[in-house]
Amino acid sequence: MTIQVGDHLPQVTFRVSGPEGPQAKTTDDVFKGRRIVLVGVPGAFTPACHRNHLPGFVAKREEILARGVDAIAVTSVNDIFVLNAWQQQSGAEGIEFLADGNAEFAKAIGLEMDGSGFGLGPRSQRYAMLVDDGVVRILNVEDTPSKAEVSGAEALLKVL
């Protein structure tokens, strides 16, 4: 079942970059007591994610944070090493990257998709949500994975 506005995020473990390499962070570690914009993308460096989706959040980061948001986080079904490279190449300093390498989070919130037709395997659907202390307050999910319209930074700013 797909997560809905008002639902609590399920408990899963992400991988993040730490001072000594990859480290585990649970949903509570990331979201408890914080107001976070969470952006879900099918894959780092994929055309729509790399050229259309992430750049809007990089460009609008300060404007989003000025609306009472503590952080912007991006999650993808990639390993943390790929996400680190994507963060660096995209100039996305100040945005948190959460690796969901086994699609556990995407499946737990019901927003996984099958990208095997493109050789990608299980992936996350494209979305943006506002999470307040672990509770989904806004949820914008794209109907088409190659588009970043309803889940883009501009669309989210209109409802923050």
Side-chain angles (χ1 to χ4, degrees):
M1 189 160 142
T2 304
I3 198 157
Q4 302 291 317
V5 171
D7 290 349
H8 285 267
L9 292 179
Q11 286 302 309
V12 299
T13 301
F14 297 101
R15 298 286 180 238
V16 299
S17 188
E20 297 172 14
Q23 65 182 46
K25 275 201 176 182
T26 66
T27 306
D28 275 351
D29 293 335
V30 176
F31 297 96
K32 189 170 179 130
R34 300 172 77 201
R35 192 171 173 197
I36 297 184
V37 166
L38 178 63
V39 181
V41 299
F45 294 108
T46 59
C49 301
H50 187 63
R51 291 186 211 136
N52 302 333
H53 208 187
L54 180 59
F57 287 95
V58 172
K60 298 291 184 178
R61 180 180 171 271
E62 293 303 320
E63 192 175 341
I64 291 169
L65 296 179
R67 304 256 176 116
V69 172
D70 296 310
I72 298 170
V74 175
T75 185
S76 179
V77 182
N78 291 109
D79 63 63
I80 192 59
F81 304 105
V82 169
L83 290 184
N84 286 343
W86 191 36
Q87 179 183 31
Q88 290 172 354
Q89 188 170 353
S90 299
E93 291 78 22
I95 294 178
E96 299 175 23
F97 282 72
L98 308 171
D100 184 24
N102 295 320
E104 292 167 0
F105 183 73
K107 290 175 185 174
I109 64 172
L111 289 174
E112 79 279 4
M113 68 173 210
D114 181 5
S116 60
F118 299 100
L120 300 173
R123 293 291 168 151
S124 172
Q125 290 183 43
R126 184 180 309 285
Y127 62 86
M129 64 172 75
L130 176 66
V131 181
D132 190 356
D133 195 23
V135 177
V136 177
R137 298 296 180 202
I138 297 169
L139 177 60
N140 297 343
V141 180
E142 293 291 344
D143 290 329
T144 305
S146 62
K147 300 207 182 221
E149 295 166 354
V150 301
S151 65
E154 289 288 342
L156 192 62
L157 275 166
K158 290 178 183 175
V159 295
L160 278 179

